[in-house]
Amino acid sequence: MLDLDPDLLIVYHGINDVHTRLVWPPAAYRGDNSGRLLRDESPIFMPSVWEHSTLLRTLMVRFALTRAHGSLSRVLSPEPDSFRGAEFVRQKVRGEYPSGVFEEVGAFEMLETNEPTFFERNVRNMVAVAQSRDIGIVLSSFAYSPDFLAEPSVSSEEYAKAFREGNDVLTRVAATDSVPFFDFAAVFPTGPEYFADGRHVNAAGALLKAELFGRFLVDGALVSSAPLVPQQVGDDLPSSGQ
């Protein structure tokens, strides 16, 4: 990001920083995130024979039996056996939770064991880099809608706990490192009319989100409130009467 010479950095994180904590055994929880994602070093990608049929592949993706071929997590970031988040979601959707590894250790225990220490470290590092380069930085709480009951990553108590912990980290870092903090989750509606899936906003949510962030930045004098007027061709040239 430094190559872009930014004036202001807004840190808005939440859902992916919960995924990375749902790994087991505890030794897999590391700062390089290798317990959650692996670099894909395979020379070629070969789907199963069932996925050669577009119809079967579509149905398999729909029922979470496989991932879309264009999925970044499949093409670029395969999941190691230590990542339990995808299995947690599948079991919750199918009403099978807890089974398998979750019979031995529940998702709550995984989150309690794998505290958001790396998340806090990374946020503090981003703040330090921004401040050392005189780049403005704003931390924001993460908003979501628990009304999407078919999406355990927003409707489950386990994820709700982790969201609260992540927002607590951002609040704490903002206070200790003297960084502006926008409690976006406190002002953004949680109704499904503003979300596509409970974690990503839809078009209406994007407009409201932009308005709320813009108001916060202007009211806090973090950006200028003066409108940007595009320069027209010839604006810098004197008129014939001058």
Side-chain angles (χ1 to χ4, degrees):
M1 295 296 293
L2 293 176
D3 290 337
L4 300 177
D5 192 23
D7 298 307
L8 178 68
L9 174 66
I10 298 176
V11 179
Y12 183 79
H13 285 276
I15 186 80
N16 290 324
D17 300 284
V18 178
H19 296 335
T20 196
R21 295 172 59 193
L22 288 174
V23 299
W24 202 260
Y29 186 51
R30 296 185 288 269
D32 63 359
N33 203 23
S34 58
R36 161 71 174 90
L37 298 173
L38 290 175
R39 177 181 296 177
D40 188 2
E41 297 180 345
S42 59
I44 58 175
F45 165 64
M46 291 294 292
S48 67
V49 65
W50 302 104
E51 296 179 52
H52 290 191
S53 164
T54 301
L55 176 60
L56 286 177
R57 186 172 69 250
T58 301
L59 292 174
M60 291 172 69
V61 171
R62 174 65 180 83
F63 292 102
L65 298 175
T66 189
R67 286 169 289 173
H69 290 180
S71 168
L72 287 179
S73 62
R74 182 169 191 171
V75 177
L76 299 178
S77 307
E79 296 169 350
D81 294 338
S82 56
F83 177 56
R84 313 295 182 173
E87 181 61 25
F88 170 79
V89 170
R90 281 193 292 268
Q91 289 187 19
K92 282 284 189 175
V93 169
R94 298 172 183 174
E96 300 172 353
Y97 182 85
S99 59
V101 67
F102 295 108
E103 291 181 297
E104 304 173 10
V105 54
F108 275 125
E109 185 176 344
M110 290 184 186
L111 293 171
E112 290 170 359
T113 302
N114 303 329
E115 296 180 345
T117 52
F118 300 123
F119 175 55
E120 180 168 349
R121 180 200 65 181
N122 293 342
V123 172
R124 290 191 184 278
N125 285 345
M126 283 190 285
V127 170
V129 170
Q131 291 178 337
S132 71
R133 299 297 186 99
D134 292 324
I135 299 170
I137 184 166
V138 172
L139 303 184
S140 170
S141 59
F142 179 75
Y144 69 100
S145 173
D147 294 336
F148 289 76
L149 301 182
E151 299 284 350
S153 58
V154 292
S155 61
S156 68
E157 295 180 1
E158 291 85 351
Y159 268 79
K161 164 188 168 61
F163 290 144
R164 289 193 299 270
E165 292 172 342
N167 285 340
D168 287 344
V169 166
L170 293 163
T171 305
R172 181 169 62 252
V173 173
T176 58
D177 292 15
S178 301
V179 174
F181 177 74
F182 180 29
D183 195 0
F184 177 69
V187 298
F188 193 77
T190 61
E193 64 271 20
Y194 291 106
F195 288 88
D197 54 10
R199 55 189 185 273
H200 300 105
V201 295
N202 56 22
L207 288 173
L208 180 58
K209 186 176 183 179
E211 178 183 346
L212 293 172
F213 267 96
R215 189 181 305 163
F216 175 82
L217 296 176
V218 171
D219 291 347
L222 299 170
V223 296
S224 171
S225 60
L228 294 177
V229 180
Q231 186 180 39
Q232 301 297 321
V233 175
D235 279 357
D236 56 342
L237 299 177
S239 66
S240 58
Q242 292 178 320

